């Protein structure tokens, strides 16, 4: 149906969505290199200034019904809302936190490759391997349908649309990926729309000093080539 407050359609979202995050494989404790067996003391000190842990305490203290294992307080879910992104996101500036997820793993990989290439290129990093972990979770809510929006729409125009969606009180936006036209994404404004994040496949991105030329899938042993991933809508990771 048409939204009275802004010129876009609304749709109900109910599905599984994906993202890639940096990973250590195998995982290690965050303070393992410096704590010398005093991990608890380091955790206590760090918690005094950590905005994610502060928000988590506020959520748990503010509502007795909130389970400590709830998706609301899972680190992977509420950290994106606790730590503002200084660059903002596709539709929102740094003053409004949003979590962006992809509708399929292939699109999530293409997006992650593009972002890592921009960062590594900007910092002139030498050739290296990056270990990345896939996360998935369900998303349920009422979203603005901007799938028809041209992915090359200028940032200023996208931000104006995002502000209108926020003012309309919707849970976020469904849109087409600028990094893989065959894929859809969601930009999420409300943590309440998220199910619990689940760890999935583990990948290594091979940065050759200029671009990420190949992705290794640790589970299958297969190689995935970013150019093919972006160009082939049928290619699945």
């Amino acid at each position: 149906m048409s939204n009275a407050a802004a010129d876009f359609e609304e749709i109900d979202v109910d599905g599984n969505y994906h993202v890639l995050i940096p990973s250590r494989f195998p995982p290690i404790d965050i303070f393992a290199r410096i704590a010398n067996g005093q991990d608890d003391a380091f955790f206590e000190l760090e918690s005094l200034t950590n905005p994610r842990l502060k928000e988590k305490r506020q959520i748990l203290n503010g509502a007795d019904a909130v389970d400590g294992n709830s998706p609301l307080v899972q680190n992977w879910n509420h950290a994106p809302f606790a730590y503002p992104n200084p660059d903002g996101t596709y539709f929102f500036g740094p003053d409004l936190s949003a979590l962006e997820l992809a509708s399929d793993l292939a699109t999530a990989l293409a997006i992650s490759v593009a972002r890592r290439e921009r960062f590594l290129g900007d910092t002139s990093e030498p050739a290296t391997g990056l270990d990345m972990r896939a996360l998935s979770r369900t998303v349920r809510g009422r979203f603005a349908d901007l799938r028809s929006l041209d992915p090359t729409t200028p940032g200023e125009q996208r931000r104006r649309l995002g502000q209108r969606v926020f003012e309309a009180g919707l849970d976020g936006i469904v849109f087409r990926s600028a990094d893989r036209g065959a894929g859809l994404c969601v930009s999420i404004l409300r943590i309440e729309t998220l199910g619990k994040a689940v760890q999935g496949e583990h990948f290594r991105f091979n940065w050759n000093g200029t671009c990420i030329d190949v992705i290794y899938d640790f589970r299958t042993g297969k190689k995935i080539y970013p150019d093919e991933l972006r160009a082939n809508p049928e290619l699945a990771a």
Side-chain angles (χ1 to χ4, degrees):
M1 74 180 200
S2 180
N3 188 291
D7 187 19
F8 50 75
E9 300 292 312
E10 295 180 14
I11 57 172
D12 290 320
V13 169
D14 187 351
N16 203 40
Y17 289 80
H18 309 264
V19 72
L20 274 291
I21 62 169
S23 171
R24 291 188 181 275
F25 188 74
I28 64 170
D29 291 334
I30 188 170
F31 297 116
R33 295 177 179 173
I34 61 172
N36 194 27
Q38 302 180 61
D39 297 75
D40 290 344
F42 275 83
F43 272 114
E44 183 176 353
L45 180 62
E46 194 256 353
S47 69
L48 297 176
T49 57
N50 186 313
R52 175 182 57 79
L53 296 178
K54 180 180 179 181
E55 181 177 317
K56 186 173 182 178
R57 288 193 300 268
Q58 289 175 340
I59 291 173
L60 290 174
N61 291 338
D64 294 337
V66 175
D67 184 347
N69 294 317
S70 165
L72 289 174
V73 294
Q74 189 184 23
N75 292 346
W76 288 319
N77 278 353
H78 76 84
F81 300 99
Y83 297 107
N85 184 341
D87 297 323
T89 52
Y90 193 66
F91 286 99
F92 303 104
D95 57 327
L96 188 58
S97 296
L99 171 63
E100 294 180 342
L101 304 175
S103 61
D104 60 272
L105 184 55
T107 300
L109 279 167
I111 292 169
S112 185
V113 165
R115 289 177 177 173
R116 293 292 153 183
E117 284 183 332
R118 287 193 292 270
F119 175 78
L120 294 169
D122 288 346
T123 55
S124 301
E125 293 294 324
T128 187
L130 303 173
D131 287 351
M132 305 292 290
R133 174 74 70 181
L135 295 179
S136 65
R137 71 267 266 177
T138 58
V139 178
R140 296 187 179 93
R142 189 73 171 167
F143 283 65
D145 183 1
L146 294 181
R147 288 175 293 178
S148 62
L149 183 71
D150 186 340
T152 64
T153 298
E156 183 179 347
Q157 185 176 339
R158 297 197 309 268
R159 298 285 170 85
R160 287 199 298 267
L161 283 167
Q163 182 63 31
R164 287 156 62 186
V165 171
F166 173 74
E167 291 172 356
L170 295 176
D171 295 316
I173 299 171
V174 180
F175 63 101
R176 195 161 297 282
S177 170
D179 298 305
R180 187 172 188 259
L184 294 177
C185 299
V186 288
S187 182
I188 298 162
L189 289 167
R190 290 168 48 83
I191 190 174
E192 291 82 3
T193 66
L194 298 174
K196 196 162 187 178
V198 178
Q199 294 190 67
E201 291 85 341
H202 182 240
F203 301 93
R204 173 161 292 175
F205 291 3
N206 185 66
W207 167 255
N208 63 13
T210 303
C211 68
I212 294 171
D213 56 5
V214 65
I215 303 167
Y216 297 96
D217 185 333
F218 281 87
R219 180 176 61 85
T220 65
K222 293 182 179 179
K223 296 180 180 180
I224 303 169
Y225 296 96
D227 287 343
E228 296 179 8
L229 189 68
R230 288 186 284 259
N232 186 351
E234 303 299 325
L235 188 63

